Amino acid sequence: MPAHRRQLTTTAVLLLTALIATQLPATAQPTDPVRAVNTFIGTKDEGNTFPGASAPFGMTQVSPIGTHYAGWRYDDTRIKGFGHFFLSGAGCWEQGGLVSTLPTTGSIGAGPGHDFDITAPATFDQDQYAATYTHDGEVGEAGYYRTRLTDYGGIDVEATADTRVGVERYTFDTGPAHVFLNVGQANERNPVKASGLEVVDEQTVRGWVRSKGFCGGRDYTLWFTTRFDKPVESFGTWQPDGGQFDRRSVSGGEGLRGAWLTFADDQVTATTSISYVDAAGADANLAAGGSRDFEQVRDQTQDHWRRELDRIRVRGATPDDAAVFYTSLYHVLLQPSTATDADGRYRGFDDAVHRADDWTYYQFFSLWDTYRTQNQLLALLVPDRARDIARSVLAIDEQGGWLPRWAYANFETNTMAGDPVTPFLVDLWRFGALEGREQQAYEALRRNATEVPPADSQFGGRAGNHSYLSQGFVQYDPDFPKKGQDVDPAHGGSATMEYALADCSLSMLARALGRTEDAARLAERGRNWRTVWDPAVHDAERGFTGFPRPRNADGTWFDPYEPISDKGFHEGTAWQYQWLTQQDVPGLLDAVGGAEQAEERLDTFFAHDELIQDPARTAREDWVIDPYDYYGQFRYNPNNEPDLHAPWMYSLIGQPAKTSAVVRAQQTLFTNAPDGVTGNDDLGTMSAWYVFSALGLYPAVPGTGQFILNAPRFPEAVVHLPGATPLTIKAPAANGAELQYVDEVRVAHTPKNQVWLSLEDLRTSGTIHHTLSTTPTDWATTPGATPPSPCAAG
């Protein structure tokens, strides 16, 4: 070898050795999940998440308010204030931002010579006094948020939160330092119906906000107490006719209302507690937090987040993949939110005050979304919370008289369609979260499945039960009277399929409780999706015949109709809803003409041939359409819930390799960026989809406890299951940047040639080891490799 080449090789080796030596310690250090979380993911393109601070399942969130109904968008140019209640990822307006605070500077007085003219009512409109800010130096971690306001001479804003309090620290570059506390305004499209506050003493403000709730729902009241760490130097309050110095209290109906508080210091900390019970509850929640400073609250909350996020440890992830995974898990663990005050009191669905002794009552249940993914993940990872969640839903039935569908605060919105509470509670039973309450749950679910709430009930329930129980389908009637935004007969085709899926899941609980006649009847109803399957419907453009179709009340088919119609299906078309038959796969195969025809339909649905060539482009250009455009589409819609399980339908018909390909393609839509969530995150539903798919298992069939396998995204993940053996999922060759397929699976070192594991397998096996391939394999394609369908005929 020439000397110069020998010298270059030696140098290269030394450099490589040095590089490895410097990188090894960093690689060996486990990812801190708190730092890995990027709360800006989902704050753009209708992900509808919020970037601010919250504790796990917290009652209080502190986050900026911008121009969007969900709160703040990453490309907003100004911040109107920092609200103290937000939902994560919901898809409807009236979502919070209540009790908005904003630090400001400048002169306050009467007349146009002041920065804030108290004689001009518009002065105290948050649209007017909103501040510009910069993304430079902005921080969004689990439990901590920081931004810099560039108006008002420059102000640094930091936020953290404990379960029932939010804490902000304002650092002013110049003075005089003010804090505006606005109770008359909230998020965009979140009307405040009435409000009031009182400056109680030199450090405390107490008040309330009456707001209209979610999707045109009922009004509800939130009480708050804010305590500052420094005494005010001066103060005033405003109402619709303007502001006034030294006036301690204001209250009234709609209109601008709030207080300004001026401080002599250049750094002020505000701690705000809220309560859905009363003013005493807000005071008690504030007192329960003790006299902790900002750093103490932040450190304790981030330690809390670290314990929660550490329930799953992934290894071998790129920094971006780690951010996406832990942010997804973070979003899963935000809600439902704590509703009990520190003394155990909560406001029930009868509007009375109740007490939860030794348990936590939760609220905000987006069941049509969360029953598909988030519910099962919580039941696996936080079973104690899952038990309290189940008990909370049963308390709604006890106090409100019926089971909910989309429960917001202490009222039912009747938003979305079908019967999501049934698979939701049945899965909680399957995971052990209904222990000791099985009979109570069953009786409530049975009544829900066989009756209709009375006209004077706030609940819509299964409004399509009259025709469903007598004829086997929910009639299509877009003019059917409704109690909220949605009603099932307005979506008769999809409601029938949702009812059938729910009935099938309930049959499993009935069977376990020895209710054999009920179980048989419900299992038969689990096949009622067939009553809306019209074998004559033809999609001429794509060459397939036979699709779900809505029926009129007299049993005739709705006409005119085509399988990408917007008639009779809720937020989807017959192309998406044909796969909501996972409880009866043999019946589906019969309906479409066999397994080969089903595979061909799935290939068309997912654009499989194009996907193999370019997964990311196919997902973004062939699948994804506008987040709220649900109709006119024959492709898979990863933006919305009805077909989230559809990738695993390949596995259920004996083609698991294609499941892994489709899942990897969809994962390209989840990125470490503000637009990194596909569609609304819907209180953690989409995020839970990602967590499950990245681990390589998915709860596709409600009530069964079955998890369908796919190629994991990470070389290793350790899932800590309370009360069970930790589960280590290994896939040494995993590379999320390419399509991969399962070549072999070993469960507890034993080869597994089936596409599914039971809940018991997950809790006892200890290890799942995957051997992956970059080309499709025939793993788990033999007869008997698919799980039994719980409601198949025969």
Side-chain angles (χ1 to χ4, degrees), residues 383-394:
D384 288 346
R385 291 193 190 271
R387 280 189 284 272
D388 286 356
I389 286 169
R391 190 169 178 179
S392 300
V393 173
L394 293 178

Side-chain angles (χ1 to χ4, degrees), residues 2-239:
H4 71 279
R5 288 189 60 190
R6 196 164 49 239
Q7 179 63 41
L8 284 172
T9 303
T10 303
T11 302
V13 169
L14 289 172
L15 286 171
L16 180 60
T17 303
L19 180 61
I20 292 172
T22 58
Q23 287 185 338
L24 273 177
T27 304
Q29 292 297 318
T31 300
D32 179 356
V34 166
R35 304 287 182 256
V37 167
N38 175 6
T39 63
F40 300 110
I41 292 176
T43 59
K44 193 174 179 180
D45 288 358
E46 305 303 318
N48 290 2
T49 61
F50 62 85
S54 175
F57 307 96
M59 178 186 292
T60 306
Q61 303 81 29
V62 185
S63 195
I65 299 170
T67 62
H68 196 271
Y69 65 79
W72 174 89
R73 301 292 82 182
Y74 190 79
D75 50 7
D76 274 337
T77 59
R78 299 195 306 159
I79 292 175
K80 301 178 183 180
F82 295 87
H84 292 81
F85 158 60
F86 294 85
L87 295 178
S88 180
C92 205
W93 54 99
E94 296 148 342
Q95 281 195 42
L98 310 184
V99 190
S100 170
T101 59
L102 187 76
T104 66
T105 62
S107 63
I108 298 176
H114 298 278
D115 296 295
F116 301 100
D117 176 7
I118 64 174
T119 64
T123 292
F124 299 109
D125 183 336
Q126 64 182 6
D127 288 330
Q128 299 298 316
Y129 66 69
T132 59
Y133 68 99
T134 177
H135 288 305
D136 293 339
E138 201 169 34
V139 177
E141 300 175 344
Y144 177 69
Y145 173 81
R146 176 190 175 100
T147 194
R148 179 167 177 80
L149 306 183
T150 51
D151 280 341
Y152 302 116
I155 306 170
D156 290 327
V157 178
E158 299 170 273
T160 188
D162 202 346
T163 300
R164 297 177 179 86
V165 299
V167 187
E168 297 116 274
R169 181 164 62 188
Y170 311 123
T171 303
F172 299 82
D173 288 359
T174 62
H178 316 298
V179 176
F180 284 13
L181 201 165
N182 188 331
V183 293
Q185 294 176 287
N187 280 354
E188 191 76 13
R189 299 187 70 183
N190 192 110
V192 172
K193 307 304 289 294
S195 63
L197 60 72
E198 177 186 10
V199 181
V200 178
D201 57 37
E202 63 181 5
Q203 290 181 257
T204 310
V205 179
R206 181 184 293 125
W208 55 276
V209 180
R210 185 79 173 164
S211 177
K212 189 171 185 61
F214 201 68
C215 286
R218 297 167 60 189
D219 294 351
Y220 69 102
T221 301
L222 180 146
W223 289 265
F224 74 93
T225 304
T226 299
R227 185 164 181 81
F228 297 93
D229 68 333
K230 309 286 175 55
V232 299
E233 188 175 59
S234 63
F235 68 89
T237 57
W238 72 81
Q239 55 189 15

Side-chain angles (χ1 to χ4, degrees), residues 727-763:
L727 176 65
T728 300
I729 303 170
K730 294 187 176 183
N735 179 1
E738 61 183 1
L739 295 184
Q740 292 182 303
Y741 308 88
V742 176
D743 189 44
E744 181 187 51
V745 174
R746 289 180 176 267
V747 179
H749 310 293
T750 300
K752 175 82 171 180
N753 199 40
Q754 294 176 311
V755 299
W756 61 285
L757 295 175
S758 69
L759 176 60
E760 185 64 17
D761 290 334
L762 257 61
R763 287 175 168 168

Side-chain angles (χ1 to χ4, degrees), residues 269-294:
T269 298
T271 302
T272 298
S273 63
I274 67 173
S275 169
Y276 293 87
V277 177
D278 54 25
D283 285 348
N285 290 341
L286 185 66
S291 56
R292 297 173 294 166
D293 61 24
F294 185 91

Side-chain angles (χ1 to χ4, degrees), residues 362-445:
Y362 291 97
Q363 61 186 4
F364 301 111
F365 292 105
S366 179
L367 299 181
W368 188 81
D369 306 295
T370 59
Y371 90 80
R372 304 166 199 265
T373 56
Q374 193 245 13
N375 184 44
Q376 297 90 327
L377 194 54
L378 294 186
L380 268 182
L381 299 180
V382 285
D384 288 346
R385 291 193 190 271
R387 280 189 284 272
D388 286 356
I389 286 169
R391 190 169 178 179
S392 300
V393 173
L394 293 178
I396 292 173
D397 179 72
E398 293 169 3
Q399 297 153 13
W402 218 263
L403 288 168
R405 175 179 296 164
W406 214 126
Y408 187 99
N410 68 322
F411 61 88
E412 171 58 35
T413 67
N414 294 300
T415 298
M416 309 311 292
D419 179 18
V421 70
T422 296
F424 184 89
L425 282 177
V426 171
D427 265 329
L428 289 179
W429 157 74
R430 176 67 73 181
F431 283 74
L434 278 175
E435 186 175 358
R437 300 181 185 278
E438 298 92 340
Q439 292 289 349
Q440 178 190 2
Y442 181 73
E443 293 304 328
L445 289 168

Side-chain angles (χ1 to χ4, degrees), residues 563-565 569 571-578 630-634:
I564 57 171
S565 168
F569 292 88
E571 296 190 359
T573 69
W575 264 96
Q576 283 95 48
Y577 273 98
Q578 67 182 313
Y630 309 113
Y631 304 105
Q633 169 73 307
F634 71 93

Side-chain angles (χ1 to χ4, degrees), residues 453-720:
D456 61 354
S457 169
Q458 64 175 291
F459 297 85
R462 283 173 51 152
N465 260 350
H466 293 302
S467 63
Y468 181 77
L469 297 177
S470 62
Q471 301 181 80
F473 61 86
V474 178
Q475 81 273 23
Y476 175 49
D477 181 359
D479 298 319
F480 196 89
K482 56 186 179 181
K483 297 180 179 180
Q485 187 182 53
D486 297 305
V487 68
D488 292 337
H491 317 285
S494 59
T496 300
M497 304 186 82
E498 297 263 18
Y499 284 14
L501 185 69
D503 285 341
C504 180
S505 67
L506 187 55
S507 74
M508 292 177 250
L509 176 55
R511 188 174 300 112
L513 296 178
R515 309 287 285 268
T516 54
E517 290 185 6
D518 281 0
R521 186 181 309 110
L522 288 163
E524 183 178 2
R525 280 164 43 178
R527 297 187 287 276
N528 274 351
W529 65 269
R530 303 183 189 193
T531 67
V532 293
W533 187 278
D534 183 356
V537 173
H538 183 60
D539 185 331
E541 183 174 348
R542 282 156 283 277
F544 295 101
T545 301
F547 286 92
R549 180 179 184 179
R551 285 183 180 272
N552 300 312
D554 63 2
T556 58
W557 295 113
F558 171 75
D559 193 63
Y561 179 74
E562 58 180 18
I564 57 171
S565 168
D566 63 350
K567 307 299 183 184
F569 292 88
H570 190 52
E571 296 190 359
T573 69
W575 264 96
Q576 283 95 48
Y577 273 98
Q578 67 182 313
W579 309 115
L580 199 72
T581 49
Q582 62 265 50
Q583 77 277 18
D584 181 18
V585 174
L588 175 66
L589 296 183
D590 287 344
V592 301
E596 289 186 6
Q597 276 291 306
E599 182 181 358
E600 189 175 339
R601 282 192 187 221
L602 284 166
D603 288 348
T604 299
F605 185 61
F606 288 109
H608 179 265
D609 292 345
E610 294 88 341
L611 180 153
I612 295 301
Q613 299 302 316
D614 193 338
R617 188 211 62 78
T618 300
R620 290 195 176 274
E621 297 181 15
D622 291 336
W623 295 355
V624 170
I625 52 177
D626 184 274
Y628 302 107
D629 185 359
Y630 309 113
Y631 304 105
Q633 169 73 307
F634 71 93
R635 297 284 196 204
Y636 178 51
N637 182 7
N639 278 352
N640 206 27
E641 280 74 15
D643 55 359
L644 277 186
H645 68 287
W648 288 269
M649 293 299 287
Y650 270 126
S651 293
L652 294 180
I653 68 166
Q655 297 295 328
K658 291 185 175 181
T659 288
S660 290
V662 169
V663 166
R664 279 288 170 85
Q666 183 165 348
Q667 288 172 353
T668 65
L669 300 174
F670 293 81
T671 63
N672 185 20
D675 61 354
V677 171
T678 176
N680 307 145
D681 197 46
D682 286 321
L683 283 77
T685 299
M686 297 296 186
S687 288
W689 184 100
Y690 182 85
V691 171
F692 272 129
S693 73
L695 293 176
L697 38 91
Y698 191 85
V701 188
T704 62
Q706 299 167 353
F707 291 86
I708 314 300
L709 301 175
N710 61 270
R713 188 172 182 86
F714 305 114
E716 182 175 300
V718 179
V719 184
H720 295 280

